[in-house]
Amino acid sequence: MSLLALDTVSFSFGARTVLDGISLSVGQGEVAALLGPNGSGKTTLLRLMLGLLSPDAGTVTLGGTDLRRLHRPELARQMAYVPQAHRETFAYRVRDIVLMGRQPHRPFLGPAGAEDRRIVAEALERLGISHLAERSYTEISGGERQLALIARAMAQQARIVVMDEPTNGLDYGNQVRLLERIKALAREGNTFIFSTHHPDHALAVASRVVTMRHGGIVSDGPPGTLDEATLGIIYQVKVHLVPVVEGVRVCVPALHMEQ
């Protein structure tokens, strides 16, 4: 049974159509990568999934219930959002950033209890950042901030974690470390939906790759079904998918192969 489903969803900003007739469903435990170039509609699609936007046509359902019928606290208990890498204005401790994930489970402005603090400590431990708990969020690295935001999502105990280009702005080492954490959490049964520009990131961690261009879905299937022709369509460049070890491929621009 699908956990999150979009049925013939369309959305426009004024006269500009951004998404046109999108149908997509994600099941429990899947890691779905939305892969496509700038302007393909990935971020808008994520915002519709989160209930931050309402479709002009079609429906978005969570567990069979239209998102428009769910109150924000109820929706927050089921879906967590990890934005692109950013810096907070206020120097909250990392522990306090993660504790914010417990708010949907408490009365409005209610104090954190022992159970909340236990869940936060567990989330920090799972993400391997317990040593950062008392550090200022504004003083840690971009990769560490993204891990803190994922820890916040884990503390939220949502069934689905939605991430908008989670590696954006991170150096190569932090990109790899972040992808490793996502893959490890997925093995524990967590459901992830993330957008990316990078085919290699989708191939590395996703159980399913949805390619997009001009507001529509070009292909949808396991990473092993992603082919060079599809990548050529969505990016308008020639690329090769090169096997590096058994069952693992990387995307290489054709210009490297023609030297």
Side-chain angles (χ1 to χ4, degrees), residues 3 46 75 77 82 95 102 104 114 116 129 144 146 151 160 167 169 173 197 205 213-214 235 252:
L3 184 57
L46 292 182
L75 187 56
R77 286 191 289 270
V82 177
R95 184 187 304 279
R102 298 302 301 156
D116 295 313
I129 55 173
E144 290 168 337
Q146 284 299 88
I160 302 174
T167 61
H197 297 111
V205 301
R213 181 170 173 80
H214 296 323
Y235 290 113
V252 178

Side-chain angles (χ1 to χ4, degrees), residues 14-30:
R16 182 171 65 91
T17 299
V18 181
L19 297 171
D20 186 16
I22 297 288
S23 292
L24 175 68
S25 63
V26 179
Q28 181 68 39
E30 281 194 290

